[in-house]
Coordinates of all heavy atoms in Angstrom, one line a residue:
M26 N 0.9 -1.2 0.0 CA 0.0 0.0 0.0 C 0.9 1.2 0.1 O 1.8 1.4 0.8 CB -0.8 0.0 1.2 CG -2.1 0.8 1.1 SD -2.9 1.2 2.7 CE -3.4 -0.5 3.2
A27 N 0.6 2.2 -0.8 CA 1.4 3.4 -0.9 C 0.6 4.6 -0.3 O -0.6 4.6 -0.6 CB 1.8 3.7 -2.4
Y28 N 1.3 5.4 0.4 CA 0.7 6.6 0.9 C 1.2 7.9 0.2 O 2.4 7.9 -0.1 CB 1.1 6.7 2.4 CG 0.5 5.7 3.3 CD1 1.2 4.5 3.7 CD2 -0.9 5.6 3.6 CE1 0.7 3.5 4.4 CE2 -1.5 4.5 4.3 CZ -0.6 3.5 4.8 OH -1.1 2.6 5.5
D29 N 0.3 8.7 -0.1 CA 0.8 10.0 -0.5 C 1.4 10.7 0.6 O 1.2 10.3 1.8 CB -0.4 10.8 -1.0 CG -1.1 10.3 -2.3 OD1 -0.3 9.7 -3.1 OD2 -2.3 10.4 -2.4
K30 N 2.2 11.8 0.3 CA 2.8 12.5 1.3 C 1.7 13.1 2.3 O 0.6 13.6 1.9 CB 3.5 13.8 0.8 CG 5.0 13.4 0.5 CD 5.9 14.5 1.2 CE 7.3 14.1 1.1 NZ 7.8 13.1 2.1
L31 N 1.9 12.9 3.6 CA 0.9 13.4 4.6 C 1.0 14.8 4.9 O 2.1 15.4 5.0 CB 1.2 12.5 5.8 CG 0.9 10.9 5.6 CD1 1.3 10.3 6.9 CD2 -0.6 10.7 5.4
S32 N -0.1 15.5 5.1 CA -0.2 16.8 5.6 C 0.0 16.7 7.1 O -0.2 15.8 7.7 CB -1.5 17.4 5.1 OG -2.5 16.7 5.9
C33 N 0.2 18.0 7.6 CA 0.3 18.0 9.2 C -1.0 17.6 9.7 O -0.9 16.8 10.8 CB 0.5 19.5 9.5 SG 2.3 20.0 9.1
K34 N -2.1 17.9 9.2 CA -3.3 17.5 9.8 C -3.5 16.0 9.8 O -4.0 15.4 10.8 CB -4.5 18.1 8.9 CG -5.9 18.0 9.4 CD -6.8 18.7 8.6 CE -8.3 18.5 9.1 NZ -8.8 17.2 8.8
E35 N -3.1 15.3 8.8 CA -3.2 13.8 8.8 C -2.2 13.2 9.8 O -2.5 12.3 10.4 CB -2.9 13.3 7.4 CG -4.1 13.7 6.3 CD -3.6 13.5 5.0 OE1 -2.5 13.8 4.5 OE2 -4.5 12.9 4.1
I36 N -1.1 13.9 9.8 CA 0.0 13.4 10.8 C -0.6 13.4 12.3 O -0.6 12.5 13.0 CB 1.3 14.3 10.8 CG1 1.9 14.1 9.4 CG2 2.2 13.9 11.9 CD1 2.7 12.8 9.2
L37 N -1.3 14.6 12.5 CA -1.7 14.9 13.9 C -2.9 13.9 14.2 O -3.0 13.5 15.3 CB -2.1 16.3 14.0 CG -1.0 17.2 13.9 CD1 -1.3 18.6 14.0 CD2 0.2 16.9 15.0
E38 N -3.7 13.7 13.2 CA -4.8 12.7 13.4 C -4.4 11.3 13.7 O -5.2 10.6 14.4 CB -5.7 12.6 12.1 CG -6.7 13.8 12.0 CD -7.3 13.9 10.7 OE1 -7.0 13.2 9.8 OE2 -8.1 14.8 10.5
K39 N -3.2 11.1 13.3 CA -2.6 9.6 13.4 C -1.8 9.4 14.6 O -1.2 8.4 15.0 CB -2.0 9.1 12.2 CG -3.0 9.0 11.1 CD -2.3 8.4 9.8 CE -3.2 8.4 8.6 NZ -4.7 8.2 8.9
L40 N -1.4 10.6 15.3 CA -0.4 10.7 16.3 C -0.7 9.8 17.5 O 0.2 9.1 17.9 CB -0.2 12.1 16.8 CG 1.0 12.9 16.1 CD1 1.2 14.2 16.9 CD2 2.2 12.0 16.1
S41 N -1.9 9.7 17.9 CA -2.3 8.9 19.1 C -1.9 7.4 18.7 O -1.4 6.7 19.6 CB -3.6 9.1 19.7 OG -4.5 8.7 18.7
E42 N -2.3 7.1 17.6 CA -2.0 5.6 17.1 C -0.6 5.5 17.1 O -0.1 4.4 17.4 CB -2.7 5.3 15.8 CG -4.3 5.2 16.0 CD -4.9 5.2 14.5 OE1 -4.7 4.1 13.9 OE2 -5.4 6.2 14.1
Y43 N 0.0 6.4 16.5 CA 1.5 6.3 16.3 C 2.2 6.1 17.7 O 3.1 5.2 17.9 CB 2.0 7.6 15.7 CG 3.5 7.7 15.5 CD1 4.2 7.0 14.6 CD2 4.2 8.6 16.3 CE1 5.5 7.2 14.4 CE2 5.6 8.7 16.2 CZ 6.3 8.0 15.3 OH 7.7 8.1 15.1
I44 N 1.8 6.8 18.6 CA 2.4 6.8 20.0 C 2.1 5.4 20.6 O 2.9 4.9 21.4 CB 1.9 8.0 20.8 CG1 2.6 9.3 20.2 CG2 2.3 7.8 22.3 CD1 2.0 10.5 20.9
D45 N 0.9 5.0 20.4 CA 0.5 3.7 20.9 C 1.0 2.5 20.1 O 0.8 1.4 20.4 CB -1.0 3.5 20.9 CG -1.6 4.4 22.0 OD1 -0.9 4.8 22.9 OD2 -2.9 4.7 21.9
E46 N 1.8 2.8 19.0 CA 2.4 1.8 18.2 C 1.4 0.9 17.6 O 1.5 -0.3 17.4 CB 3.4 1.0 18.9 CG 4.6 1.9 19.2 CD 5.5 1.2 20.2 OE1 5.5 0.0 20.6 OE2 6.6 1.9 20.7
E47 N 0.2 1.5 17.1 CA -0.8 0.8 16.5 C -0.8 1.0 15.0 O -1.8 0.4 14.3 CB -2.2 1.2 17.1 CG -2.4 0.7 18.5 CD -3.6 1.3 19.2 OE1 -4.3 2.1 18.5 OE2 -3.9 0.9 20.2
L48 N 0.1 1.6 14.5 CA 0.1 2.0 13.0 C 0.9 1.0 12.2 O 1.8 0.3 12.8 CB 0.6 3.4 12.7 CG -0.2 4.6 13.1 CD1 0.6 5.8 12.8 CD2 -1.5 4.5 12.3
D49 N 0.6 0.9 11.0 CA 1.4 0.1 10.1 C 2.8 0.7 10.1 O 3.0 1.9 10.2 CB 0.9 0.2 8.6 CG -0.4 -0.3 8.3 OD1 -0.9 -1.0 9.2 OD2 -0.9 0.0 7.3
P50 N 3.7 -0.2 10.0 CA 5.2 0.2 9.9 C 5.4 1.3 8.8 O 6.2 2.1 8.9 CB 6.0 -1.1 9.6 CG 5.1 -2.1 10.2 CD 3.7 -1.7 10.0
S51 N 4.7 1.1 7.7 CA 4.9 2.0 6.5 C 4.3 3.4 6.9 O 4.9 4.4 6.6 CB 4.3 1.4 5.2 OG 2.8 1.2 5.5
M52 N 3.3 3.4 7.6 CA 2.7 4.6 8.1 C 3.6 5.4 9.1 O 3.9 6.6 9.1 CB 1.3 4.4 8.7 CG 0.6 5.7 9.2 SD 0.4 6.9 7.8 CE -1.2 6.3 7.1
C53 N 4.2 4.5 10.0 CA 5.2 5.0 11.0 C 6.3 5.7 10.3 O 6.9 6.8 10.6 CB 5.7 4.0 11.9 SG 4.5 3.3 13.1
D54 N 6.9 5.1 9.2 CA 8.0 5.6 8.4 C 7.5 6.9 7.8 O 8.4 7.9 7.9 CB 8.4 4.7 7.2 CG 9.0 3.5 7.8 OD1 9.5 3.5 9.0 OD2 9.4 2.6 7.0
E55 N 6.4 7.1 7.3 CA 5.9 8.3 6.7 C 5.9 9.4 7.8 O 6.3 10.6 7.6 CB 4.4 8.3 6.3 CG 4.3 7.3 5.0 CD 4.7 8.1 3.8 OE1 4.7 9.3 3.7 OE2 5.1 7.5 2.8
I56 N 5.4 9.1 9.1 CA 5.4 10.1 10.1 C 6.7 10.5 10.5 O 7.1 11.6 10.7 CB 4.6 9.5 11.2 CG1 3.0 9.4 10.8 CG2 4.7 10.4 12.5 CD1 2.1 8.8 11.8
D57 N 7.7 9.4 10.7 CA 9.1 9.7 11.0 C 9.7 10.7 10.0 O 10.3 11.6 10.3 CB 9.9 8.4 11.1 CG 9.6 7.5 12.2 OD1 9.1 8.1 13.3 OD2 9.9 6.4 12.2
E58 N 9.4 10.4 8.8 CA 9.9 11.4 7.8 C 9.4 12.7 7.9 O 10.2 13.7 7.8 CB 9.5 10.7 6.4 CG 10.5 11.2 5.3 CD 10.0 10.7 3.9 OE1 9.7 9.4 3.7 OE2 9.8 11.5 2.9
H59 N 8.1 12.8 8.1 CA 7.5 14.1 8.2 C 8.1 14.8 9.4 O 8.4 16.1 9.4 CB 6.0 14.0 8.4 CG 5.2 15.3 8.5 ND1 4.6 15.8 7.4 CD2 5.0 16.0 9.6 CE1 4.0 17.0 7.8 NE2 4.2 17.2 9.1
M60 N 8.2 14.1 10.5 CA 8.8 14.7 11.8 C 10.2 15.3 11.6 O 10.6 16.2 12.2 CB 8.8 13.6 13.0 CG 7.5 13.3 13.4 SD 6.5 14.7 14.1 CE 5.0 13.8 14.4
G61 N 10.9 14.6 10.7 CA 12.3 15.1 10.4 C 12.3 16.5 9.7 O 13.3 17.0 9.8
D62 N 11.2 16.9 9.3 CA 11.3 18.1 8.5 C 10.2 19.0 8.9 O 9.8 20.1 8.3 CB 11.0 17.7 7.0 CG 11.4 18.9 6.1 OD1 12.4 19.6 6.4 OD2 10.8 19.0 5.0
C63 N 9.6 18.8 10.1 CA 8.4 19.7 10.6 C 8.5 19.8 12.1 O 7.7 19.1 12.9 CB 7.1 19.0 10.2 SG 5.7 20.0 10.4
P64 N 9.2 20.9 12.6 CA 9.3 21.1 14.1 C 8.0 21.3 14.8 O 7.9 20.8 15.9 CB 10.2 22.4 14.0 CG 10.9 22.3 12.8 CD 10.1 21.8 11.7
P65 N 7.0 22.0 14.2 CA 5.7 22.1 14.8 C 5.1 20.8 15.2 O 4.5 20.6 16.3 CB 4.9 22.9 13.9 CG 5.8 23.6 13.0 CD 7.0 22.6 12.9
C66 N 5.2 19.8 14.2 CA 4.6 18.5 14.5 C 5.3 17.7 15.6 O 4.8 17.1 16.4 CB 4.5 17.7 13.3 SG 3.1 18.0 12.2
V67 N 6.8 17.9 15.5 CA 7.5 17.3 16.7 C 7.1 17.7 18.0 O 6.9 17.1 19.0 CB 9.1 17.6 16.3 CG1 9.9 17.0 17.6 CG2 9.4 16.9 15.0
A68 N 7.0 19.1 18.1 CA 6.7 19.7 19.3 C 5.3 19.2 19.8 O 5.2 18.9 21.1 CB 6.6 21.3 19.2
F69 N 4.4 19.1 18.9 CA 3.1 18.6 19.3 C 3.1 17.2 19.8 O 2.5 16.8 20.7 CB 2.0 18.8 18.2 CG 0.7 18.6 18.7 CD1 0.0 19.7 19.4 CD2 0.0 17.4 18.8 CE1 -1.1 19.5 19.9 CE2 -1.2 17.2 19.3 CZ -1.9 18.3 19.9
M70 N 3.9 16.4 19.0 CA 4.1 15.0 19.4 C 4.7 14.8 20.8 O 4.2 14.0 21.6 CB 4.9 14.2 18.4 CG 5.1 12.7 18.7 SD 6.1 11.8 17.6 CE 7.7 12.6 17.8
N71 N 5.6 15.6 21.1 CA 6.2 15.5 22.5 C 5.2 15.8 23.5 O 5.2 15.2 24.5 CB 7.4 16.5 22.5 CG 8.6 16.0 21.7 OD1 8.7 14.8 21.4 ND2 9.4 16.9 21.3
T72 N 4.4 16.8 23.3 CA 3.3 17.2 24.2 C 2.3 16.0 24.4 O 2.0 15.7 25.5 CB 2.6 18.4 23.7 OG1 3.5 19.4 23.3 CG2 1.5 18.9 24.8
L73 N 2.0 15.5 23.3 CA 1.0 14.4 23.3 C 1.6 13.2 24.0 O 0.9 12.6 24.8 CB 0.6 14.1 21.9 CG -0.6 13.2 21.7 CD1 -1.8 13.8 22.3 CD2 -0.9 12.8 20.3
K74 N 2.9 12.8 23.6 CA 3.5 11.8 24.3 C 3.5 12.0 25.8 O 3.2 11.0 26.6 CB 5.0 11.7 23.9 CG 5.2 10.6 22.8 CD 6.5 10.5 22.4 CE 6.9 9.7 21.2 NZ 8.2 9.7 20.8
K75 N 3.8 13.1 26.3 CA 3.9 13.4 27.7 C 2.6 13.1 28.4 O 2.4 12.5 29.5 CB 4.3 14.8 28.1 CG 5.8 14.9 28.5 CD 6.3 16.3 28.8 CE 7.2 16.8 27.8 NZ 7.4 18.2 27.8
T76 N 1.5 13.6 27.8 CA 0.2 13.5 28.2 C -0.3 12.1 28.2 O -0.8 11.6 29.2 CB -0.8 14.3 27.3 OG1 -0.2 15.5 27.1 CG2 -2.1 14.4 27.9
V77 N 0.0 11.4 27.2 CA -0.5 10.0 27.0 C 0.3 9.1 28.2 O -0.3 8.2 28.8 CB -0.1 9.4 25.7 CG1 -0.2 7.8 25.7 CG2 -1.0 9.9 24.7
K78 N 1.6 9.4 28.4 CA 2.3 8.8 29.4 C 1.7 8.9 30.8 O 1.6 8.0 31.6 CB 3.9 9.2 29.4 CG 4.7 8.1 29.8 CD 6.3 8.6 29.7 CE 6.8 8.5 28.3 NZ 8.1 9.2 28.2
L79 N 1.3 10.1 31.0 CA 0.7 10.5 32.3 C -0.5 9.6 32.5 O -0.8 9.1 33.5 CB 0.3 12.0 32.2 CG 0.6 12.8 33.5 CD1 2.0 13.0 33.7 CD2 -0.1 14.2 33.2
Y80 N -1.3 9.6 31.5 CA -2.7 8.7 31.5 C -2.3 7.3 31.7 O -3.0 6.6 32.3 CB -3.5 9.1 30.4 CG -4.3 10.3 30.5 CD1 -3.7 11.6 30.5 CD2 -5.8 10.3 30.8 CE1 -4.5 12.8 30.7 CE2 -6.5 11.4 31.1 CZ -5.8 12.6 31.1 OH -6.5 13.8 31.2
N81 N -1.2 6.9 30.9 CA -0.9 5.5 30.9 C -0.5 5.0 32.4 O -0.9 3.9 32.8 CB 0.3 5.2 30.1 CG -0.2 4.9 28.6 OD1 -1.3 4.5 28.3 ND2 0.7 5.1 27.7
T82 N 0.1 5.8 33.1 CA 0.6 5.4 34.4 C -0.6 5.2 35.4 O -0.5 4.5 36.4 CB 1.6 6.4 35.0 OG1 1.1 7.7 34.9 CG2 3.0 6.3 34.3
S83 N -1.8 5.8 35.0 CA -2.9 5.6 35.8 C -3.6 4.4 35.6 O -4.6 3.8 36.4 CB -3.9 6.7 35.7 OG -4.5 6.6 34.4
G84 N -3.2 3.6 34.5 CA -3.7 2.2 34.2 C -5.0 2.3 33.6 O -5.6 1.2 33.3
D85 N -5.5 3.5 33.2 CA -6.9 3.6 32.5 C -6.6 3.3 31.0 O -5.5 3.6 30.4 CB -7.5 4.9 32.8 CG -7.9 5.0 34.2 OD1 -8.2 3.9 34.9 OD2 -8.0 6.0 34.8
E86 N -7.7 3.1 30.3 CA -7.7 3.0 28.9 C -7.4 4.5 28.3 O -8.0 5.5 28.9 CB -9.2 2.6 28.5 CG -9.4 2.3 27.0 CD -8.7 1.0 26.6 OE1 -8.1 0.3 27.3 OE2 -8.6 0.9 25.3
V87 N -6.6 4.5 27.4 CA -6.1 5.9 26.9 C -6.8 6.3 25.7 O -6.7 5.5 24.7 CB -4.5 6.0 26.8 CG1 -4.2 7.3 26.3 CG2 -3.9 5.6 28.1
D88 N -7.4 7.3 25.7 CA -7.8 8.0 24.4 C -7.2 9.4 24.6 O -6.9 9.8 25.7 CB -9.4 8.1 24.4 CG -9.8 8.5 23.0 OD1 -9.0 8.5 22.1 OD2 -11.1 8.7 22.9
I89 N -7.2 10.2 23.5 CA -6.7 11.5 23.7 C -7.7 12.4 24.6 O -8.8 12.4 24.3 CB -6.5 12.3 22.3 CG1 -5.7 11.4 21.4 CG2 -6.0 13.6 22.5 CD1 -5.5 12.1 20.0
P90 N -7.1 12.8 25.7 CA -7.9 13.6 26.6 C -8.4 14.9 25.9 O -7.8 15.4 25.1 CB -7.0 14.0 27.8 CG -5.8 13.2 27.6 CD -5.7 12.7 26.1
S91 N -9.6 15.3 26.3 CA -10.2 16.4 25.6 C -9.4 17.8 25.7 O -9.5 18.5 24.7 CB -11.6 16.7 26.1 OG -11.7 16.8 27.4
P92 N -8.7 18.1 26.7 CA -7.9 19.3 26.7 C -6.8 19.2 25.6 O -6.6 20.2 24.9 CB -7.2 19.4 28.0 CG -8.0 18.4 28.9 CD -8.6 17.4 28.1
V93 N -6.3 18.0 25.4 CA -5.3 17.7 24.3 C -6.0 18.0 22.9 O -5.5 18.5 21.9 CB -4.6 16.5 24.4 CG1 -3.6 16.3 23.2 CG2 -3.9 16.4 25.7
R94 N -7.2 17.3 22.8 CA -8.0 17.5 21.6 C -8.3 18.9 21.2 O -8.0 19.4 20.1 CB -9.3 16.8 21.7 CG -9.5 15.7 20.8 CD -10.9 15.1 21.1 NE -10.8 13.7 21.5 CZ -10.4 12.6 20.6 NH1 -10.3 12.9 19.4 NH2 -10.4 11.4 21.1
T95 N -8.6 19.7 22.2 CA -8.8 21.1 22.0 C -7.6 21.8 21.5 O -7.5 22.6 20.6 CB -9.3 21.8 23.3 OG1 -10.5 21.1 23.8 CG2 -9.7 23.2 23.1
K96 N -6.5 21.5 22.2 CA -5.2 22.1 21.8 C -4.9 21.7 20.3 O -4.3 22.5 19.6 CB -4.0 21.5 22.8 CG -3.3 22.6 23.4 CD -2.1 22.0 24.1 CE -2.1 22.1 25.6 NZ -1.0 21.4 26.2
L97 N -5.1 20.4 20.1 CA -4.8 19.9 18.7 C -5.6 20.8 17.6 O -5.1 21.2 16.7 CB -5.2 18.5 18.6 CG -5.1 17.7 17.4 CD1 -3.6 17.4 17.3 CD2 -5.9 16.5 17.3
H98 N -6.9 21.0 18.0 CA -7.7 21.8 17.0 C -7.2 23.3 16.9 O -7.1 23.8 15.8 CB -9.1 21.8 17.4 CG -9.8 20.4 17.2 ND1 -10.8 19.9 18.0 CD2 -9.5 19.5 16.2 CE1 -11.1 18.7 17.6 NE2 -10.3 18.5 16.5
D99 N -6.7 23.9 18.0 CA -6.2 25.2 18.0 C -4.9 25.2 17.1 O -4.7 26.0 16.3 CB -5.9 25.7 19.4 CG -7.0 26.0 20.2 OD1 -8.1 26.1 19.6 OD2 -6.8 26.2 21.3
F100 N -4.1 24.1 17.3 CA -2.8 24.0 16.7 C -3.1 23.9 15.2 O -2.4 24.6 14.3 CB -2.1 22.8 17.2 CG -0.9 22.4 16.5 CD1 0.4 23.1 16.8 CD2 -0.8 21.5 15.4 CE1 1.5 22.8 16.1 CE2 0.4 21.3 14.8 CZ 1.4 21.9 15.1
L101 N -4.1 23.2 14.8 CA -4.4 22.9 13.3 C -4.9 24.1 12.7 O -4.5 24.5 11.6 CB -5.4 21.8 13.2 CG -4.9 20.4 13.5 CD1 -6.1 19.4 13.4 CD2 -3.8 20.0 12.5
R102 N -5.8 24.9 13.5 CA -6.3 26.1 13.0 C -5.2 27.0 12.6 O -5.2 27.7 11.6 CB -7.3 26.7 13.9 CG -8.7 26.8 13.3 CD -9.6 27.8 14.1 NE -9.4 27.5 15.5 CZ -10.2 26.7 16.2 NH1 -11.2 26.1 15.6 NH2 -10.0 26.5 17.4
R103 N -4.3 27.2 13.6 CA -3.1 28.1 13.5 C -2.2 27.8 12.3 O -1.9 28.5 11.5 CB -2.2 28.1 14.7 CG -2.5 29.2 15.7 CD -1.3 29.5 16.7 NE -0.9 28.3 17.3 CZ -1.3 27.9 18.4 NH1 -2.3 28.5 19.0 NH2 -0.9 26.8 19.0
R104 N -1.9 26.4 12.2 CA -1.2 25.9 11.0 C -1.9 26.3 9.7 O -1.1 26.7 8.9 CB -1.1 24.4 11.1 CG -0.1 23.8 12.1 CD 1.4 24.1 11.7 NE 1.7 23.4 10.5 CZ 3.0 23.7 10.0 NH1 3.8 24.4 10.6 NH2 3.3 23.0 8.8
C105 N -3.2 26.1 9.6 CA -3.8 26.4 8.4 C -3.8 27.8 8.1 O -3.6 28.3 6.9 CB -5.4 25.9 8.6 SG -5.5 24.2 8.6
N106 N -3.9 28.7 9.1 CA -3.9 30.2 8.8 C -2.4 30.6 8.4 O -2.4 31.4 7.5 CB -4.2 30.9 10.1 CG -5.8 30.8 10.4 OD1 -6.5 30.5 9.5 ND2 -6.1 30.9 11.7
E107 N -1.4 29.9 9.0 CA -0.1 30.3 8.6 C 0.2 30.0 7.2 O 0.8 30.6 6.5 CB 0.9 29.4 9.5 CG 1.2 30.2 10.8 CD 1.9 29.3 11.8 OE1 2.6 28.3 11.3 OE2 1.8 29.5 13.1
E108 N -0.4 28.8 6.8 CA 0.0 28.2 5.4 C -0.7 29.2 4.3 O -0.3 29.2 3.2 CB -0.4 26.8 5.3 CG 0.6 26.0 5.8 CD 0.1 24.5 6.1 OE1 -1.0 24.1 5.7 OE2 0.8 23.7 6.8
K109 N -1.8 29.9 4.8 CA -2.5 30.7 3.8 C -1.8 31.9 3.5 O -1.9 32.5 2.4 CB -3.9 31.0 4.3 CG -5.0 30.0 3.7 CD -6.4 30.3 4.3 CE -7.1 29.1 4.7 NZ -7.9 29.4 5.9
E110 N -1.0 32.4 4.5 CA -0.3 33.7 4.4 C 0.8 33.7 3.5 O 1.5 32.7 3.2 CB 0.1 34.2 5.7 CG -1.1 34.8 6.5 CD -0.8 35.0 8.0 OE1 0.4 35.0 8.3 OE2 -1.7 35.3 8.7
Ligands
ZN19 ZN1 3.9 18.7 10.1

């Protein structure tokens, strides 16, 4: 299966699966490649990883917590606006 180059939005949508290692290896490679060239996504991934780790230690089932989801949406909106300028 071949993937087109992923946009930041697509990367961010897959980040929680990526962090949980639930993605196809080929998709992980795509994300790794994108991360190598996109500091905002790296920064966001680090935030998300920290949050997920925090939730993981509580032993509960992990979904992206809603504050992170809100942050993600803000982030995406900002990215989209930046790209238009
Ligand atoms: Zn990106």
Side-chain angles (χ1 to χ4, degrees):
M26 204 194 296
Y28 295 102
D29 290 329
K30 269 234 172 284
L31 296 169
S32 68
C33 290
K34 187 173 178 290
E35 286 166 318
I36 295 285
L37 296 175
E38 279 170 354
K39 296 188 185 325
L40 264 188
S41 65
E42 288 169 75
Y43 175 75
I44 289 170
D45 290 341
E46 293 168 6
E47 286 171 357
L48 284 179
D49 293 350
S51 56
M52 182 59 87
C53 287
D54 288 348
E55 289 284 332
I56 293 180
D57 286 338
E58 202 186 306
H59 183 98
M60 291 296 175
D62 199 32
C63 190
C66 282
V67 175
F69 194 83
M70 178 176 69
N71 288 336
T72 308
L73 191 61
K74 263 187 183 166
K75 252 182 253 167
T76 312
V77 168
K78 213 178 274 173
L79 219 69
Y80 276 72
N81 272 338
T82 51
S83 73
D85 292 333
E86 190 67 11
V87 178
D88 195 8
I89 302 180
S91 53
V93 178
R94 242 182 241 282
T95 308
K96 233 193 245 175
L97 182 78
H98 289 146
D99 285 352
F100 176 84
L101 289 175
R102 239 194 321 264
R103 260 201 312 269
R104 283 290 295 174
C105 291
N106 289 338
E107 276 167 21
E108 276 162 17
K109 266 182 226 145
E110 281 165 16

